[in-house]
Amino acid sequence: MMKMKIKGKVFVFGDNVNTDEIIPARYLNTSDPQELAKYCMEDARPGFGRRDDIKGGIIVAGENFGCGSSREHAPVAIKAAGISCVIAKSFARIFFRNAINIGLPIVELKEADEFEEGDVAEVDLENGVVKNLSKGKEYKIRPYPEFLMNIMKAGGWLEYCLKEMGE
């Protein structure tokens, strides 16, 4: 069961972070999440996926996060690296759905650029609130529709389906 209130250290990325920067194609010879995690954000910030301090962290980015190819490996790598949530001004639609499908919480926030590297953020998915605890700011976000919230609570689409089938 996924926590619906997430708190973590912020790691800032810019606009148009594409799936090749999130998980470069040269590492797609595996689908093992732990192997993919090592190379998470490798072309945007070398060594990022192997850092200990990213566990439980929150990526905050600009416009169009996850653009590029539709590979599901990108949100899998982020989640397996220990990132607990991604906040961005906007997401590529296929990345948005792939993230939901694998149970990676993502939040659109127009004020994402008000966060700085190292800030501490708190995301309350159920109540639709994002806080920058370092700056004492609070933002209202549009909460997920009920069916997406149920998928997130289950930990992803597969887990949701298995639960609904009683398995």
Side-chain angles (χ1 to χ4, degrees):
M1 181 81 134
M2 164 170 283
K3 292 190 308 185
M4 294 294 108
K5 195 177 240 185
I6 301 160
K7 181 178 169 184
K9 179 180 174 183
V10 167
F11 298 92
V12 175
F13 290 84
D15 292 335
N16 301 308
V17 174
N18 67 54
T19 54
D20 285 322
E21 291 171 302
I22 296 169
I23 185 67
R26 64 188 176 276
Y27 301 115
L28 296 180
N29 57 350
T30 182
S31 58
D32 175 38
Q34 295 312 309
E35 191 63 23
L36 293 171
K38 295 178 193 174
Y39 306 107
C40 176
M41 307 306 281
E42 187 69 17
D43 285 357
R45 193 179 297 182
F48 182 77
R50 293 181 292 285
R51 292 173 54 172
D52 289 332
D53 68 334
I54 66 170
K55 305 292 185 253
I58 297 173
I59 288 177
V60 178
E63 300 281 354
N64 203 26
F65 187 88
C67 58
S69 69
S70 63
R71 67 178 66 124
E72 196 173 72
H73 296 76
V76 168
I78 291 170
K79 185 177 178 182
I83 295 297
S84 59
C85 183
V86 179
I87 299 170
K89 284 188 172 190
S90 66
F91 290 92
R93 293 295 91 189
I94 191 69
F95 180 89
F96 182 92
R97 192 57 208 215
N98 282 338
I100 297 296
N101 285 348
I102 62 113
L104 173 66
I106 58 175
V107 171
E108 288 190 341
L109 179 67
K110 292 295 175 212
E111 299 87 357
D113 57 0
E114 293 183 18
F115 285 82
E116 294 179 35
E117 187 83 11
D119 282 352
V120 176
E122 183 179 83
V123 180
D124 184 337
L125 295 171
E126 288 188 305
N127 295 308
V129 176
V130 173
K131 294 179 182 177
N132 184 330
L133 299 176
S134 300
K135 294 189 169 128
K137 292 190 172 189
E138 182 173 307
Y139 311 93
K140 191 76 179 142
I141 57 170
R142 186 175 49 186
Y144 289 160
E146 184 180 354
F147 79 99
L148 287 184
M149 187 62 83
N150 290 337
I151 292 169
M152 294 307 294
K153 284 180 179 178
W157 178 248
L158 178 61
E159 293 82 357
Y160 173 77
C161 290
L162 292 172
K163 180 182 168 199
E164 289 298 304
M165 292 178 5
E167 306 226 354

